[in-house]
Amino acid sequence: MQSDDHLAASRYARMRWNTPLSPEHAALLLQRLDVRPGARVLDLGCGWGELLLRAVAAGGVSGPVATRGVGVDTDDDALARGRRLAADRSLNRHVAFVTGEASAWQEPADRVLCIGSAHAFGGTAAALDALAAVVRPGGRLLFGDAYWEQSPTAEIAEVFGPDVATLPGLVEAARERGWRLLHLSTADQREWDDFESSWLAGRQEWLLAYPEDPRAADVRAELDDRLREYVDGYRGVLGLAYLVLSR
């Protein structure tokens, strides 16, 4: 197999999901999300839908009323990966992956996930407003969003844009829009380090396997820049909060 076949696939190859989150933390969030048998679960900006698949499995698919899920994203490669994962776990009859804009989705669900995808709606406030329309009455939303743990440098603030708030600001934004907080937790430093390392790892391995590929220099520069930006810039500065919300 040539390097052409590997480079695109290597981008997220070592990532469990595209967010700083341990399996133990994910299990806690799903417990707080409280997916019930027969629930409809929606993941907006799902990527390959690993957390969606776990949520549907947690709700149960073998009883008289099966839990079902839909993942929505614009990344066709990620969606294809999600379909493969669903088939591998015999969940392909219960979970559908749909190509589309998260902000355009209108069909409501009992449990909604939106992690790291507020930008698709135009920012945190706009996302919290829009998501109210797709969470059924009595339902729950798992909302994951960035916040500043410490004041960033001007350079890092520019990278992540003006929409990032403090943690109190994020919680208050949800409250102002009618959401009630059922659970709050944040990614710890080990989760962040694992997330950044796994983001790099697939293409780092590709570089080691294909050092003479014409694209190697560009890939190496991209990865080196990302590592420097993380270690020197936003490590311990940018946080990620997980809020389980209801109305």
Side-chain angles (χ1 to χ4, degrees):
M1 186 176 288
Q2 300 299 312
S3 62
D4 286 350
D5 301 313
H6 285 299
L7 181 56
S10 71
R11 184 173 187 186
Y12 299 117
R14 299 305 178 194
M15 302 183 76
R16 181 181 296 108
W17 33 53
N18 195 9
T19 190
L21 185 67
S22 68
E24 296 79 13
H25 194 171
L28 172 65
L29 295 177
L30 292 179
Q31 182 184 46
R32 298 294 187 262
L33 194 61
D34 190 27
V35 182
R36 305 289 180 86
R40 296 299 180 263
V41 184
L42 171 66
D43 190 345
L44 294 173
C46 66
W48 52 91
E50 176 64 36
L51 197 59
L52 170 65
L53 294 172
R54 296 188 186 204
V56 170
V61 296
S62 59
V65 183
T67 304
R68 297 189 182 279
V70 175
V72 181
D73 206 290
T74 57
D75 186 334
D76 287 330
D77 289 337
L79 294 171
R81 178 179 174 181
R83 294 184 187 104
R84 292 193 297 271
L85 289 172
D88 290 345
R89 301 177 200 180
S90 299
L91 291 172
N92 47 305
R93 291 192 301 143
H94 305 282
V95 180
F97 289 93
V98 178
T99 302
E101 297 285 349
S103 60
W105 189 265
Q106 297 182 353
E107 185 176 345
D110 304 295
R111 299 293 185 268
V112 177
L113 294 78
C114 182
I115 297 176
S117 296
H119 60 88
F121 297 87
T124 300
L128 288 167
D129 285 337
L131 291 165
V134 294
V135 178
R136 287 175 177 163
R140 297 188 181 190
L141 166 68
L142 172 55
F143 186 67
D145 204 16
Y147 69 95
W148 294 123
E149 289 190 350
Q150 299 182 38
S151 296
T153 64
E155 292 79 10
I156 291 300
E158 185 176 357
V159 168
F160 290 97
D163 191 54
V164 181
T166 63
L167 184 57
L170 175 58
V171 172
E172 184 63 12
R175 188 199 65 78
E176 288 176 347
R177 285 158 179 81
W179 295 99
R180 303 304 300 175
L181 181 65
L182 301 177
H183 172 83
L184 166 67
S185 54
T186 62
D188 64 25
Q189 195 60 66
R190 180 173 293 182
E191 288 175 305
W192 268 107
D193 288 345
D194 183 60
F195 166 63
E196 292 290 337
S197 296
S198 62
W199 189 92
L200 295 167
R203 277 173 291 177
Q204 298 282 28
E205 293 169 356
W206 179 88
L207 278 173
L208 294 172
Y210 304 104
E212 304 304 322
D213 187 283
R215 298 163 295 175
D218 289 340
V219 173
R220 185 178 298 107
E222 179 192 10
L223 298 182
D224 289 350
D225 287 346
R226 171 71 175 248
L227 183 59
R228 290 190 196 99
E229 188 174 74
Y230 175 57
V231 174
D232 296 338
Y234 63 92
R235 185 179 188 271
V237 175
L238 186 70
L240 201 296
Y242 299 98
L243 286 66
V244 177
L245 303 166
S246 190
R247 298 175 72 83

